[in-house]
Structure formats: C-alpha cells, structure tokens
C-alpha cells in the first residue's frame, strides 16, 4: 500500500513493490498474480480500515453529536502536518484512476456510501436524542460531512496547516448546532 500511496499505481514498478513488500518475485506472483491484484488488495485494506475506524469513532461516545465531532477531530490530525502532506490513498487513487477504471470506481463509491451510511446513522441517533435538528435531512447532511472530510484531505496534501483545518471543521460542523 505504501508504495502505491507514495508513487501511484502507474509509477509503482515491480522492483519497488518487491522491495516495499519484502517479497521475492515468485512469492509476489504466487500471492497476487500481478501488480493490479496487489493494488486492488491494498485499496480494499485501506477502505475496510477507514470504514472500521470511522464506525468505531461514531459509536464510541454516548452522544452521537460528540462522536461526529470526535471523528472530525481525527480527520484534522490526518489532514495536517506530515500525514496531511501524504494525502489520502483513496483520494489519490480517485485522481489517478477514475473515471476509466470501473473496479477502482466501484470500490471508492462503496467507501463513500458506507461513510455516508455511518454518518447518517449517527445523525439519526443524535436527532432522536435532540442533539441535532430533526428537520435536517440526515442523508444530505451525511453527504456534506463526507465531502468536507475529502476536501480536508486534499487541502492537507496541499499543505494546509492544522489551525486552518480546525477552523474549517468548526465552520463545517455548524449545521450540527
């Protein structure tokens, strides 16, 4: 994953992958068949991890509204400093591979759907508790929040600083008040 994340799919060579994975050529082909196979597996691992982490955070607090804010605080950290400059593997994959690659497109669409589902469920719980205005459409708000996260990751890649990112998050979360 690190090799693709740092170099992109097209610029990652087989020797780069073998070195990064500490595998021999034979072991690589036996496990993954080809470069595309390892790329799709790396993307799946990244996506599954992102969904799991987000779900854990959104269920970690008895206040769903606070949990949403906690999830955004994590995104501030991932979108600033050295980690922010590295960017998001999914965003980088989308820029490099879409719209031409249907398999990658389907994986990224699945990630965004699942993230939106997780945020929508947290919003519904918060609305039931009176923490968020029940008149707000949870699907629209969830899509807005996921868009904000992806935008933060792009800005982080461009060198946005932590304070600026935090200020943007505070503004983006105003609809929750």
């Amino acid at each position: 994953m690190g090799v693709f994340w740092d170099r992109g799919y097209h610029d990652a060579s087989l020797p780069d992958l073998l070195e990064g994975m500490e595998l021999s050529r034979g072991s690589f082909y036996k496990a993954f068949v080809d470069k595309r196979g390892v790329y799709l597996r790396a993307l799946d691992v990244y996506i599954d991890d992102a969904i799991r982490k987000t779900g854990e955070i959104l269920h970690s607090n008895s206040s769903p509204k606070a949990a949403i804010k906690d999830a955004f605080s994590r995104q501030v950290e991932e979108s600033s400093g050295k980690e922010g400059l590295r960017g998001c593997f999914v965003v980088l994959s989308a820029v490099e591979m879409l719209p031409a690659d249907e398999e990658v497109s389907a994986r990224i669409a699945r990630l965004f759907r699942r993230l939106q589902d997780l945020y929508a469920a947290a919003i519904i719980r918060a609305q039931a508790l009176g923490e968020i205005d029940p008149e707000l459409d949870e699907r629209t708000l969830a899509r807005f929040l996921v868009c904000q996260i992806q935008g933060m990751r792009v800005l982080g890649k461009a060198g946005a600083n932590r304070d600026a990112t935090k200020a943007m998050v505070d503004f983006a979360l105003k609809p929750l008040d």
Side-chain angles (χ1 to χ4, degrees), residues 42-75:
L43 192 56
D44 288 341
V45 168
Y46 184 91
I47 288 169
D48 292 345
D49 189 52
I51 292 168
R52 180 188 54 77
K53 284 180 180 177
T54 301
E56 286 173 359
I57 292 172
L58 291 176
H59 288 92
S60 68
N61 194 314
S62 60
S63 164
K65 181 177 172 180
I68 293 169
K69 289 181 177 186
D70 291 343
F72 268 76
S73 291
R74 186 187 104 219
Q75 291 299 327

Side-chain angles (χ1 to χ4, degrees), residues 5-78:
W5 200 337
D6 293 338
R7 296 179 185 264
Y9 176 77
H10 296 293
D11 288 340
S13 68
L14 182 58
D16 295 333
L17 292 168
L18 295 176
E19 180 181 327
M21 298 171 72
E22 299 179 357
L23 289 176
S24 69
R25 189 176 293 265
S27 296
F28 175 87
Y29 284 117
K30 189 174 188 178
F32 298 105
V33 180
D34 60 11
K35 175 180 164 179
R36 182 162 177 78
V38 74
Y39 177 76
L40 293 174
R41 180 67 185 127
L43 192 56
D44 288 341
V45 168
Y46 184 91
I47 288 169
D48 292 345
D49 189 52
I51 292 168
R52 180 188 54 77
K53 284 180 180 177
T54 301
E56 286 173 359
I57 292 172
L58 291 176
H59 288 92
S60 68
N61 194 314
S62 60
S63 164
K65 181 177 172 180
I68 293 169
K69 289 181 177 186
D70 291 343
F72 268 76
S73 291
R74 186 187 104 219
Q75 291 299 327
V76 168
E77 297 308 316
E78 291 184 358

